[in-house]
Amino acid sequence: MDAWTDVLRWLSGRGLEVVLIVLGSVLLARFIGWAGTRITDRIDRNSTDGDALVRSEAAKHRHSLTQVLTWAAVVLVYSISVFFVLDRLGIPVTGLVAPATVLGVGLGFGAQRIVGDVLAGFFIITERQYGFGDVVSIQVVGGGEPAEGTVEDVTLRVTRVRSPNGEVVTVPNGQIVKVVNLSRDWARAVVDVPVPTSVDVNRANEILREVGRSAFRDPAMRPLLLDPPTVMGVETLGLDEVNVRVVARTLPGKQFEVGRDLRARIVDAFRSQGMQVPQPTSVAVPDGATAVQEAVR
């Protein structure tokens, strides 16, 4: 009977405090997550309600920074609650210093990769290498196919990318060796048009210039283009055909849409002039970065 009384007394005292601490930490963590979601939603809404068709670099950085701060705040809340619970349970925190040191050394050797991921994530955020909504191509350690798609989440440990097929690719930040940002500041759509050697190249150049002018005048395309598409001239020579290159500077992330539209316009223009050409090959180059080849079939 005395034991049962002691249990009830503990439950009404320290036990109740432990329950309240756990419940309070869970509610506080949920509130922080809710507040972080509200802030990121407001950032996204403000960045898309204006005239700009894409998010600004500042909006991308604010979104990613809010996600990281939210994650760090939740971890801090749970960490502090653990110390309070240990104190209410009568476990001296100072007595855990020595075992925690040994455990920390052991975990340090086993968690080197996690520490590397967190450090890499810290520099990704502070250096603004990419942010939420950026279109990226991420090369990881060991080579293989890069992770390509739209950034959906950036934390200190991982980056989540939504591929064009709808797949979510999670990449540890410490394993990233190269990032190609396809939506930073501005991008470039490059279309190589194969022209038969039997066709007058000057005539083909004039047709392509008219295609560029008409695309720049089109109300649907004008907002995506920073300047009129330019005909660079003959890029390569072959036995049966030459490649004439057309270049267009676009808003970040819009180079693929512009490239598809230009290819369709070029095919229609050449057919209207009685010229049959193979389907061209497009190259999207973001602000001087490494080219990403996109073959059209």
Side-chain angles (χ1 to χ4, degrees):
M1 188 66 179
D2 292 338
W4 179 247
T5 303
D6 293 339
V7 170
L8 291 178
R9 186 181 298 111
W10 184 87
L11 289 176
S12 61
R14 291 181 177 269
L16 180 60
E17 293 179 2
V18 170
V19 172
L20 292 177
I21 290 172
V22 173
L23 182 61
S25 62
V26 171
L27 293 177
L28 182 57
R30 287 177 175 262
F31 174 77
I32 292 174
W34 173 82
T37 302
R38 289 291 301 271
I39 294 174
T40 54
D41 288 345
R42 173 177 289 185
I43 293 172
D44 294 340
R45 188 165 54 250
N46 292 339
S47 63
T48 55
D49 281 347
D51 295 332
L53 298 179
V54 294
R55 296 181 179 88
S56 66
E57 295 301 322
K60 295 175 185 176
H61 180 68
R62 287 196 299 268
H63 187 114
S64 300
L65 189 60
T66 302
Q67 289 179 322
V68 171
L69 292 178
T70 301
W71 176 79
V74 170
V75 172
L76 181 63
V77 167
Y78 282 130
S79 300
I80 294 176
S81 66
V82 168
F83 284 102
F84 277 112
V85 169
L86 292 177
D87 181 66
R88 294 302 184 275
L89 292 177
I91 301 176
V93 178
T94 56
L96 299 176
V97 172
T101 302
V102 177
L103 181 62
V105 172
L107 291 177
F109 285 107
Q112 291 181 9
R113 179 170 296 181
I114 295 177
V115 175
D117 293 341
V118 172
L119 290 176
F122 172 78
F123 287 111
I124 288 173
I125 297 298
T126 56
E127 295 174 359
R128 302 191 182 191
Q129 297 178 16
Y130 55 82
F132 176 81
D134 273 329
V135 180
V136 298
S137 176
I138 299 177
Q139 185 70 49
V140 298
V141 174
E145 294 294 328
E148 299 180 350
T150 304
V151 177
E152 287 196 343
D153 190 17
V154 182
T155 68
L156 289 178
R157 200 183 74 82
V158 299
T159 296
R160 291 185 178 87
V161 177
R162 175 80 63 175
S163 72
N165 296 328
E167 304 159 338
V168 176
V169 182
T170 302
V171 181
N173 294 329
Q175 303 299 305
I176 297 174
V177 295
K178 179 182 177 182
V179 177
V180 179
N181 194 329
L182 304 177
S183 56
R184 182 66 179 266
D185 298 329
W186 57 273
R188 182 183 290 125
V190 180
V191 179
D192 287 336
V193 183
V195 178
T197 54
S198 58
V199 175
D200 185 2
V201 175
N202 292 327
R203 181 187 172 204
N205 286 343
E206 185 55 39
I207 294 174
L208 294 175
R209 291 191 187 95
E210 181 55 35
V211 168
R213 288 191 289 265
S214 94
F216 196 66
R217 292 192 300 264
D218 189 341
M221 290 295 297
R222 178 65 182 85
L224 307 181
L225 294 167
L226 300 179
D227 44 40
T230 304
V231 179
M232 306 299 292
V234 176
E235 186 68 22
T236 59
L237 295 172
L239 294 177
D240 300 324
E241 63 184 27
V242 297
N243 284 325
V244 181
R245 175 161 293 183
V246 180
V247 177
R249 277 204 323 145
T250 73
L251 290 176
K254 300 298 181 180
Q255 64 270 33
F256 305 111
E257 181 178 346
V258 171
R260 287 191 292 267
D261 185 89
L262 286 177
R263 290 194 293 273
R265 291 172 184 267
I266 290 170
V267 171
D268 290 340
F270 273 62
R271 284 179 178 172
S272 66
Q273 296 295 325
M275 301 165 55
Q276 297 294 328
V277 296
Q279 294 184 3
T281 299
S282 168
V283 184
V285 184
D287 196 7
T290 304
V292 178
Q293 302 289 340
E294 181 189 20
V296 181
R297 297 180 175 83

